[in-house]
């Protein structure tokens, strides 16, 4: 069982590379705004939510992306501590959606929920062709350092056989202009009491 969503490119990059922002603040603290921009671009291109942005194709010029990120920045601007809760992201991005008259709504899925429920909602969202913004805070696995205290997108999953009887769910993580695959179980078990989590999108009557 597997699923991969279509996406967009900026030049040769798979999605936007946050390191290519010209300004320090967005380069180091703009990941929430990028997640919101990524969501808008995808949901316009592939789910028909034309009100979300002006992008018209999956090949986006750097200048057009920077202009759109500049429009999103006042809503999800970099700040001390970052956009470090699901509720803050929903409030800030929700203001943008309200101003755009969008029918898109959001609910939080907290990192304190069970792994099995996390697997279920990831599969459900992606099977509906809806990407998943993911917030990872601190994590004990140093291999995930580039993705800690960071927002990124989940755009695919695949089930793989594990050494145990249970199958493992791998998820396609998009950030920094590239896609990589991680085991969701490894991501979910951060080793810290304070968790991040995921944003679940609902379109129209699905809310």
């Amino acid at each position: 069982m597997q699923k991969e969503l279509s996406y967009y490119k900026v030049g040769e990059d798979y999605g936007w590379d946050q390191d290519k922002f010209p300004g320090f603040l967005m380069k180091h603290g703009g990941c929430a705004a990028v997640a919101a921009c990524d969501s808008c671009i995808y949901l316009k291109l592939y789910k028909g939510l034309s009100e979300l942005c002006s992008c018209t194709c999956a090949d986006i010029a750097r200048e057009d992306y920077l202009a759109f990120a500049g429009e999103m920045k006042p809503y999800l601007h970099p700040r001390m501590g970052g956009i470090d809760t699901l509720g803050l992201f929903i409030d800030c991005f929700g203001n943008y959606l309200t101003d755009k008259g969008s029918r898109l709504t959001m609910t939080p899925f907290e990192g304190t929920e069970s792994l099995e429920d996390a697997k279920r909602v990831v599969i459900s969202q992606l099977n509906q062709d809806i990407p998943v913004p993911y917030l990872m805070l601190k994590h004990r696995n140093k291999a995930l350092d580039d993705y800690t205290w960071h927002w990124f997108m989940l755009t695919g999953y695949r089930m793989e056989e594990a050494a145990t009887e249970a199958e493992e769910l791998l998820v396609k993580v998009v950030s920094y202009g590239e896609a990589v695959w991680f085991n969701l179980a490894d991501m979910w078990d951060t080793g810290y009491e304070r968790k991040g989590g995921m944003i679940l999108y609902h379109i129209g009557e699905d809310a």
Side-chain angles (χ1 to χ4, degrees):
M1 182 170 60
Q2 66 180 35
K3 176 82 173 185
E4 290 186 57
L5 305 186
S6 300
Y7 212 57
Y8 75 95
K9 297 184 73 174
V10 181
E12 295 301 314
D13 291 330
Y14 191 79
W16 176 251
D17 182 354
Q18 183 181 337
D19 289 336
K20 293 184 178 179
F21 277 124
F24 176 86
L25 288 178
M26 288 295 282
K27 184 178 294 187
H28 294 276
C31 57
V34 171
C37 289
D38 288 354
S39 300
C40 289
I41 293 168
Y42 177 91
L43 292 168
K44 176 177 180 177
L45 292 177
Y46 302 109
K47 300 297 284 186
L49 274 64
S50 59
E51 71 277 6
L52 292 181
C53 64
S54 60
C55 301
T56 58
C57 67
D59 294 307
I60 299 173
R62 178 178 183 273
E63 296 76 14
D64 291 336
Y65 188 94
L66 288 173
F68 181 37
E71 183 181 353
M72 189 65 71
K73 181 180 176 181
Y75 296 90
L76 289 139
H77 60 84
R79 65 198 71 190
M80 188 68 67
I83 309 294
D84 60 349
T85 68
L86 305 183
L88 184 56
F89 182 93
I90 288 172
D91 288 345
C92 295
F93 188 33
N95 289 335
Y96 176 86
L97 297 176
T98 297
D99 289 346
K100 293 297 182 179
S102 178
R103 65 186 188 275
L104 182 70
T105 60
M106 299 172 278
T107 55
F109 186 87
E110 298 287 349
T112 52
E113 299 287 346
S114 72
L115 173 62
E116 290 308 309
D117 283 342
K119 290 179 179 179
R120 177 182 55 79
V121 298
V122 167
I123 291 171
S124 175
Q125 290 290 102
L126 293 173
N127 280 349
Q128 297 174 70
D129 297 315
I130 298 175
V132 180
Y134 192 114
L135 171 63
M136 185 183 292
L137 298 177
K138 293 196 296 182
H139 203 291
R140 62 186 174 184
N141 186 348
K142 297 302 182 183
L144 296 172
D145 277 356
D146 287 343
Y147 298 88
T148 58
W149 222 266
H150 188 59
W151 285 92
F152 48 84
M153 302 296 289
L154 304 185
T155 66
Y157 72 84
R158 67 173 185 252
M159 302 296 297
E160 290 197 352
E161 292 186 3
T164 62
E165 293 184 1
E167 287 185 312
E168 293 181 341
L169 183 69
L170 303 188
V171 288
K172 188 176 185 179
V173 170
V174 179
S175 191
Y176 305 114
E178 63 179 7
V180 296
W181 289 88
F182 291 130
N183 187 325
L184 183 63
D186 294 340
M187 293 167 57
W188 204 247
D189 182 14
T190 66
Y192 290 91
E193 183 177 352
R194 188 180 178 195
K195 311 290 185 180
M198 298 181 286
I199 301 294
L200 308 183
Y201 290 136
H202 314 280
I203 300 172
E205 295 180 357
D206 294 335

